[in-house]
């Protein structure tokens, strides 16, 4: 695949030269700003002699280089990002006091990172995978991070299974290749995964770049209005570029030709002024509706049917600026689903609950204790009693670092009550496994009514291509899961597998 020279991503260096052609480039320095003596050759004794320890420039260059890499994200390592704004188009103040949603026409600066979930930073953009779609809103009340995916649901209902889920999606620890026995073993033993698996293997499993897919907050959140009334909500952001997916064979071809296909597409679109946008909606459920809902609204393997909980328009997301440096602004970008602003909060959704602590913890490991001082993560204001640690840049002047004190410093805001409205909770503590509740009603509707005949055939073909690599006892167990969705569906997967596998256990 070759790209014509007019594509901006190919011309970054030419543009740099053009922009700076009349400037004095200055002299080469060390990181300490001292003049570098020679950047091409090491200091030696004679032309053929050994290198001298006095060549401090060499140490400066080499030791910095040795530390260029930081740990990649444990998941969602491969990605692309951009900047833009969120604009309010509709009044939703009856549901939320969040300033980011109040005032039609109001704009809030945003950062967005799209990603693949499973493989490493060097992996291909067109593999079958869930895509991340995370948004950071730099609001006047601090940053709000909506860390979503391109699917409205997820594989599991309890965060405790997240490390297991990721282990089976990634590599076998002995062989270091993806292991289809691990993959299908887990999914066939955890039937709550079936809804997400159907989306994963459907056409939407390989979006055609990041611009042409929807995003969803997926988890259940809450909104609190200025009277302190709470409703539960889901967030949806629907593409204005039109949904487009890649057929499995062309995705494989592109993976070989241009592993950075989705990143390149996003960068070029923005650089040529073809700015992508998404319409932003909420679904709401009152606390009374929660009591009568015929499914668990805090279970992230379930969608909220639009017929009962219609999409309510709120605003639009626009991306209009590429990063000026990938590492500084995208690799160091950090999201935290627990970063809420007054008027928006979490819910008892068990997957969300687990996520609330996971992200700040991993960021402290990946980027360091002061990761929130990195400009791209930094809120518009910060006022507290935390100090010091590696790479401290902000010290909050001479303000006291303890509370209460007699010398000034921040006081708790009355708006903070909109973060944690009081609620009465009742129940017996215990380890409740929801995994064997009703897992099949919604996937059945998806299979029988959302997919047309062609989409069903492609779904089955995609499943067979991967399931054929698992052992027959695992295939059999997974086929029973498919049969619980729809007996014809299970039977067709079985027929597909018979072309590849010589097994008799599975009953047609
Ligand atoms: C089941 C519990 C989950 C846990 C414990 C978890 C944990 C994590 C961790 C540790 C990271 C790496 C973050 C970093 O290094 O900066 C991550 C990234 C991410 N997760 Fe999750 N995750 C969970 C579920 C989900 C769900 C349900 C979604 C979507 C609704 C999601 C969306 C994302 C996204 C988009 C990223 C990438 C953020 C970025 O671009 O930097 N995760 N997750």
């Amino acid at each position: 695949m070759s790209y014509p020279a007019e594509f901006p991503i190919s011309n970054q260096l030419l543009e740099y030269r053009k922009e700076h052609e009349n400037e004095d480039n200055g002299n080469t320095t060390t990181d300490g700003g001292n003049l570098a003596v020679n950047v091409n050759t090491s200091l030696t004794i004679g032309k053929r002699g050994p290198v001298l320890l006095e060549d401090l420039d060499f140490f400066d260059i080499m030791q910095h280089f040795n530390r260029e890499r930081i740990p990649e994200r444990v998941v969602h390592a491969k990605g692309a990002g951009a900047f833009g704004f969120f604009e309010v188009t509709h009044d939703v103040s009856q549901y939320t006091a969040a300033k980011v949603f109040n005032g039609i026409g109001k704009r809030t600066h945003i950062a967005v990172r799209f990603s693949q979930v499973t493989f490493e930073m060097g992996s291909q953009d067109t593999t079958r995978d869930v895509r991340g779609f995370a948004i950071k809103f730099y609001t006047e009340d601090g940053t709000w991070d909506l860390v979503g995916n391109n699917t409205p649901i997820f594989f599991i209902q309890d965060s405790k299974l997240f490390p297991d889920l990721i282990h089976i999606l990634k590599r076998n620890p002995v062989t270091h290749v993806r292991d289809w026995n691990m993959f299908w073993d887990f999914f066939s033993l955890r039937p709550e995964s079936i809804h997400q698996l159907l989306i994963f293997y459907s056409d939407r499993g390989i979006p055609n770049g990041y611009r042409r897919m929807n995003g969803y907050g997926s988890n259940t959140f809450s909104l609190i209005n200025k009277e302190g009334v709470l409703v539960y909500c889901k967030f949806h952001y629907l593409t204005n570029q039109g949904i487009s997916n890649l057929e499995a064979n062309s995705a494989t071809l592109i993976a070989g030709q241009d592993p950075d296909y989705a990143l390149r597409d996003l960068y070029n679109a923005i650089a040529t002024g073809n700015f992508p946008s998404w319409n932003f909606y909420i679904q709401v459920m009152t606390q009374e509706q929660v009591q009568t809902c015929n499914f668990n609204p805090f279970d992230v393997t379930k969608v909220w049917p639009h017929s009962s909980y219609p999409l309510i328009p709120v605003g639009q997301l626009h991306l209009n600026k590429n990063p000026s440096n990938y590492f500084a602004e995208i690799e160091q970008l950090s999201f935290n689903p627990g970063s809420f602003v007054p008027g928006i909060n979490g819910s008892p959704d068990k997957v969300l609950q687990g996520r609330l602590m996971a992200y700040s913890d991993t960021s402290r490991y990946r980027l360091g204790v002061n990761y929130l001082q990195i400009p791209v993560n930094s809120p518009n204001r910060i006022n507290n009693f935390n100090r010091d640690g590696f790479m401290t840049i902000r010290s909050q002047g001479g303000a006291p670092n303890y509370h209460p004190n007699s010398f000034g410093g921040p006081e708790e805001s009355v708006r903070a009550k909109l973060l944690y409205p009081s609620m009465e909770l009742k129940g017996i503590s215990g380890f409740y496994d929801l995994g064997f509740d009703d897992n099949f009603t919604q996937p059945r509707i998806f299979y029988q009514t959302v997919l047309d005949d062609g989409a069903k055939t492609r779904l089955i073909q995609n499943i067979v291509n991967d399931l054929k690599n698992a052992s027959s006892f695992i295939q059999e167990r997974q086929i029973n899961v498919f049969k619980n969705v729809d007996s014809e569906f299970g039977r067709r997967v079985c027929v597909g597998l018979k072309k590849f596998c010589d097994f008799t256990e599975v009953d047609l």
Side-chain angles (χ1 to χ4, degrees):
M1 187 177 281
S2 64
Y3 292 92
E6 69 266 20
F7 277 104
I9 202 166
S10 320
N11 293 336
Q12 184 268 319
L13 288 174
L14 296 172
E15 277 163 22
Y16 176 86
R17 189 174 61 185
K18 204 158 81 191
E19 278 168 26
H20 296 83
E21 65 193 347
N22 297 323
E23 289 173 19
D24 173 7
N25 288 323
N27 299 113
T28 313
T29 68
T30 64
D31 279 346
N34 308 103
L35 285 182
V37 183
N38 186 308
V39 288
N40 290 318
T41 54
S42 307
L43 180 66
T44 53
I45 306 222
K47 204 169 177 179
R48 297 189 176 187
V51 175
L52 292 177
L53 271 180
E54 279 83 353
D55 192 351
L56 298 181
D57 289 0
F58 170 67
F59 291 129
D60 192 54
I61 294 165
M62 198 61 221
Q63 293 182 354
H64 187 278
F65 174 77
N66 286 343
R67 291 161 179 78
E68 274 184 11
R69 297 281 85 81
I70 61 171
E72 64 177 37
R73 290 169 177 83
V74 62
V75 281
H76 294 260
K78 176 77 191 285
F83 301 91
F85 61 91
F86 171 76
E87 181 166 341
V88 179
T89 54
H90 292 75
D91 179 18
V92 287
S93 56
Q94 71 181 107
Y95 301 116
T96 175
K99 289 187 179 169
V100 59
F101 289 151
N102 275 296
I104 292 175
K106 177 169 179 173
R107 289 185 173 187
T108 301
H109 182 50
I110 57 170
V112 168
R113 184 169 179 273
F114 302 99
S115 49
Q116 316 281 113
V117 174
T118 305
F119 286 113
E120 300 83 359
M121 205 193 275
S123 59
Q124 298 84 8
D125 283 351
T126 54
T127 46
R128 182 172 300 285
D129 201 354
V130 174
R131 302 306 193 260
F133 192 156
I135 313 166
K136 185 181 287 296
F137 298 77
Y138 301 90
T139 89
E140 58 203 282
D141 272 334
T143 50
W144 170 43
D145 292 351
L146 182 55
V147 197
N149 280 339
N150 71 331
T151 58
I153 50 170
F154 201 58
F155 293 104
I156 50 173
Q157 298 161 319
D158 190 318
S159 289
K160 226 173 188 177
L161 283 173
F162 185 73
D164 304 283
L165 170 71
I166 300 305
H167 287 168
I168 63 104
L169 290 173
K170 286 183 181 266
R171 298 167 185 276
N172 175 310
V174 174
T175 62
H176 204 55
V177 296
R178 180 174 251 179
D179 187 319
W180 295 106
N181 274 335
M182 287 166 57
F183 184 98
W184 290 107
D185 190 26
F186 177 86
F187 286 130
S188 61
L189 289 168
R190 296 303 314 185
E192 70 268 32
S193 58
I194 184 62
H195 201 181
Q196 177 80 320
L197 265 185
L198 292 191
I199 296 184
F200 184 88
Y201 278 107
S202 75
D203 293 340
R204 291 203 183 192
I206 316 181
N208 183 2
Y210 295 129
R211 294 183 295 135
R212 302 180 190 90
M213 63 182 202
N214 293 339
Y216 305 88
S218 313
N219 287 118
T220 299
F221 295 89
S222 57
L223 298 175
I224 303 112
N225 71 13
K226 63 178 185 313
E227 278 81 39
V229 178
L230 177 148
V231 291
Y232 291 106
C233 87
K234 295 273 190 190
F235 295 106
H236 299 246
Y237 17 119
L238 308 187
T239 177
N240 288 325
Q241 288 65 245
I243 295 275
S244 170
N245 302 304
L246 292 171
E247 185 272 322
N249 287 336
S250 55
T252 306
L253 202 64
I254 295 171
Q257 291 172 330
D258 182 10
D260 303 318
Y261 175 82
L263 185 153
R264 196 184 305 276
D265 172 73
L266 178 72
Y267 189 102
N268 282 334
I270 292 175
T272 49
N274 187 8
F275 302 137
S277 67
W278 287 259
N279 287 339
F280 193 93
Y281 301 86
I282 50 174
Q283 286 180 292
V284 300
M285 192 183 291
T286 63
Q287 295 181 70
E288 294 70 41
Q289 284 174 310
V290 168
Q291 304 307 322
T292 55
C293 186
N294 61 4
F295 59 90
N296 176 358
F298 306 118
D299 170 0
V300 69
T301 68
K302 307 283 186 291
V303 291
W304 292 7
H306 292 195
S307 50
S308 311
Y309 308 96
L311 294 185
I312 300 168
V314 184
Q316 284 194 325
L317 301 165
H318 294 264
L319 293 182
N320 58 11
K321 187 176 170 298
N322 277 318
S324 52
N325 177 278
Y326 184 87
F327 186 90
E329 296 180 349
I330 305 300
E331 193 53 26
Q332 295 197 113
L333 189 55
S334 157
F335 292 93
N336 175 7
S339 183
F340 293 118
V341 289
I344 305 172
N345 211 290
S347 81
D349 176 335
K350 284 210 271 185
V351 161
L352 178 63
Q353 297 262 314
R355 298 179 72 201
L356 297 181
M357 59 70 66
Y359 291 66
S360 52
D361 178 51
T362 195
S363 290
R364 287 186 176 100
Y365 163 69
R366 189 169 74 82
L367 301 167
V369 62
N370 281 313
Y371 71 101
L372 290 171
Q373 297 191 16
I374 297 170
V376 77
N377 298 325
S378 208
N380 291 336
R381 44 150 214 174
I382 160 125
N383 246 339
N384 63 19
F385 310 99
N386 292 338
R387 296 290 187 279
D388 306 345
F390 282 114
M391 313 293 282
T392 295
I393 296 162
R394 244 175 2 208
S395 57
Q396 303 191 47
N401 67 347
Y402 64 95
H403 186 85
N405 72 74
S406 319
F407 302 99
E411 292 299 331
E412 214 171 85
S413 155
V414 287
R415 300 194 76 239
K417 74 174 189 317
L418 295 172
L419 276 171
Y420 291 103
S422 323
M423 51 178 94
E424 190 182 320
L425 300 172
K426 282 191 192 133
I428 310 285
S429 66
F431 297 98
Y432 297 98
D433 190 341
L434 308 179
F436 302 93
D437 289 0
D438 175 13
N439 293 314
F440 299 108
T441 304
Q442 291 199 353
R444 190 171 300 125
I445 295 170
F446 177 77
Y447 180 79
Q448 292 178 348
T449 63
V450 177
L451 301 182
D452 62 21
D453 287 347
K456 281 181 184 149
T457 303
R458 290 190 295 278
L459 168 81
I460 290 161
Q461 190 55 55
N462 294 334
I463 289 173
V464 168
N465 278 346
D466 289 350
L467 186 55
K468 71 177 193 294
N469 303 311
S471 297
S472 59
F473 75 96
I474 293 175
Q475 292 174 337
E476 183 173 0
R477 202 164 53 207
Q478 186 62 48
I479 286 169
N480 283 330
V481 176
F482 295 143
K483 282 185 176 168
N484 280 326
V485 174
D486 179 283
S487 55
E488 172 68 7
F489 169 42
R491 203 188 63 80
R492 286 183 66 187
V493 174
C494 202
V495 170
L497 282 177
K498 291 243 168 210
K499 291 186 197 138
F500 300 97
C501 312
D502 185 22
F503 59 81
T504 51
E505 301 95 298
V506 179
D507 171 23
L508 274 182

